Amino acid sequence: MSYSAHFMDFKGSSIPSSMKKLVVTKLSPNFREAVSVQTAAVPTPGDADLLVRNRYVGINASDINYSAGRYDASVKPPFDAGFEGIGEVVGLGLSASSHYTVGDTVAYFGSGAFAEYTVVPAKESVPVPAVRPEYLTLLVSGATAYVALKRLADLAKGETVLVTAAAGGTGQFAVQFAKQAGCHVVGTCSSNEKAGFLKSLGCDRPINYTTEDLAKTLRKEYPQGIDVVYESVGGSVFELAVNSLATKGRLIVIGFISGYQTASGIPPIRGGTLPAKLIQKSASIRGFFLPHFLSDYKEALGSMMQMFTEGKLVCEVDCGDLAQEGRFVGLESVVRAVDYMYAGKNLGKVVVEVAPPSVSNSKL
């Protein structure tokens, strides 16, 4: 028995011997096809680790890229899925106990989050004041918007910023940070309800592309072009963004969700004229992948948490209360939550409640 077992709160939190987790058993961008719920032993944390009982886990568009094996071709199934979770510490290793104790509430951005319990290195854990799903929105979605705009956008007051999929998990943050920088913000969305939500965030011009022609609207209302685009859709929306750039415009690519469900994972674009278009406008396209910017992560998280605490940041969470089969509760509903997001139904960040709060922990 490892020393860390002495730090497992078996009585206080009644840790079972087994748990459920989601395992990728077959490489596929169809998440429902790729994963299965399995029973496994609850892992024991190593010396510098925490054992976290997950209360909420976050759904990301990239979950299906991961299940399709697109991030690391050398990783073969079976492997665990899920990038972010929040919960309480129920066990920990000896050296981890110098910073944490049983009952602490933490969030983390790592792998294997789609499980009832996850072992997380203490140094990768983020202490949070409470197990609220809003804190989960900051780990990937919030941090992506914060760091991408800070590092790559060169935002200046008075510039026009276009956010695609603006009412989604990361779009909601891009809208708010661009407004904080004194910019005029345009946001695309797919319903009037989402347009109303964007207005409430301070978005100057929400465009519901199901009722308005996006290309025509941008040409007519922004003839000078768009200074910065925060782009996550790809395909035809990416092409439209390129064509809409102002002189010295910057297009930040944080993803291309429209292609993730396809076999290649990449939506087709007509790229032949791209160099000419960029030169004509002295414009640039900049890619952003959060793991390349981990040196900015701590500051981003600290800053966003403070803003949220002070009521200066909206962290909209969608737990599926309006979904056809109801709220996303339990690991079995992760698949449903992924489908819900890909159907474009979510308003804010999609979050699954893994387990109800434990009665014994007053912090919850």
Side-chain angles (χ1 to χ4, degrees):
M1 185 187 270
S2 78
Y3 193 90
S4 59
H6 294 293
F7 286 87
M8 303 275 270
D9 182 23
F10 283 101
K11 276 208 176 86
S13 62
S14 44
I15 299 173
S17 57
S18 66
M19 65 167 190
K20 286 179 185 169
K21 67 175 182 173
L22 232 56
V23 178
V24 175
T25 51
K26 173 192 169 190
L27 293 182
S28 171
N30 179 336
F31 199 73
R32 197 175 277 274
E33 221 173 69
V35 301
S36 65
V37 178
Q38 297 189 359
T39 301
V42 172
T44 301
D47 178 60
D49 297 334
L50 307 177
L51 178 65
V52 178
R53 179 200 278 129
N54 292 315
R55 276 281 314 284
Y56 297 98
V57 293
I59 304 297
N60 291 285
S62 46
D63 286 327
I64 74 170
N65 288 334
Y66 195 65
S67 70
R70 289 173 185 150
Y71 287 149
D72 186 348
S74 67
V75 179
K76 301 282 181 268
F79 55 85
D80 299 344
F83 293 131
E84 52 188 349
I86 186 170
E88 60 198 316
V89 175
V90 292
L92 67 171
L94 182 57
S95 63
S97 68
S98 60
H99 297 288
Y100 290 95
T101 185
V102 165
D104 283 353
T105 53
V106 295
Y108 61 89
F109 161 39
S111 56
F114 292 157
E116 290 174 326
Y117 294 83
T118 302
V119 167
V120 185
K123 67 177 193 308
E124 290 173 23
S125 304
V126 180
V128 288
V131 180
R132 290 180 61 182
E134 287 83 0
Y135 289 114
L136 197 55
T137 67
L138 303 177
L139 296 178
V140 176
S141 301
T144 296
Y146 186 98
V147 181
L149 290 176
K150 186 178 178 184
R151 285 276 169 229
L152 304 181
D154 300 328
L155 290 179
K157 199 174 175 183
E159 287 192 314
T160 299
V161 176
L162 170 66
V163 179
T164 61
T170 189
Q172 63 172 328
F173 293 106
V175 167
Q176 293 177 81
F177 297 145
K179 281 308 293 177
Q180 286 173 13
C183 297
H184 176 95
V185 180
V186 184
T188 72
C189 62
S190 60
S191 72
N192 289 336
E193 184 202 3
K194 290 181 182 183
F197 167 62
L198 291 178
K199 266 262 190 284
S200 76
L201 296 181
C203 181
D204 300 283
R205 179 62 165 101
I207 301 175
N208 174 356
Y209 58 79
T210 64
T211 59
E212 292 188 76
D213 184 310
L214 183 56
K216 274 185 189 155
T217 305
L218 290 178
R219 265 200 312 273
K220 185 180 162 200
E221 297 182 22
Y222 302 94
Q224 296 300 307
I226 305 288
D227 298 301
V228 173
V229 184
Y230 184 83
E231 217 293 272
S232 60
V233 179
S236 60
V237 175
F238 170 83
E239 292 184 335
L240 176 57
V242 170
N243 294 337
S244 304
L245 285 173
T247 301
K248 296 184 183 172
R250 289 86 71 198
L251 197 171
I252 300 171
V253 177
I254 63 125
F256 30 88
I257 191 170
S258 63
Y260 294 167
Q261 290 174 298
T262 64
S264 71
I266 301 169
I269 57 161
R270 296 182 295 273
T273 57
L274 194 54
K277 286 176 179 175
L278 296 181
I279 286 176
Q280 278 166 5
K281 294 173 174 174
S282 293
S284 61
I285 298 175
R286 305 172 184 187
F288 178 87
F289 185 51
L290 186 59
H292 295 156
F293 290 82
L294 292 182
S295 56
D296 293 284
Y297 193 68
K298 236 186 174 61
E299 186 269 328
L301 228 44
S303 176
M304 290 187 295
M305 281 196 183
Q306 194 174 342
M307 281 187 243
F308 176 63
T309 306
E310 293 171 1
K312 293 174 183 169
L313 189 65
V314 174
C315 303
E316 190 66 27
V317 170
D318 190 335
C319 284
D321 292 302
L322 300 176
Q324 211 170 356
E325 293 170 52
R327 189 176 170 86
F328 304 131
V329 178
L331 281 178
E332 293 82 0
S333 65
V334 166
V335 169
R336 200 161 56 85
V338 170
D339 287 347
Y340 176 82
M341 183 186 61
Y342 271 92
K345 293 177 180 168
N346 60 300
L347 199 155
K349 169 83 177 179
V350 182
V351 169
V352 172
E353 185 175 4
V354 178
S358 61
V359 187
S360 63
N361 196 325
S362 59
K363 286 188 185 180
L364 306 182

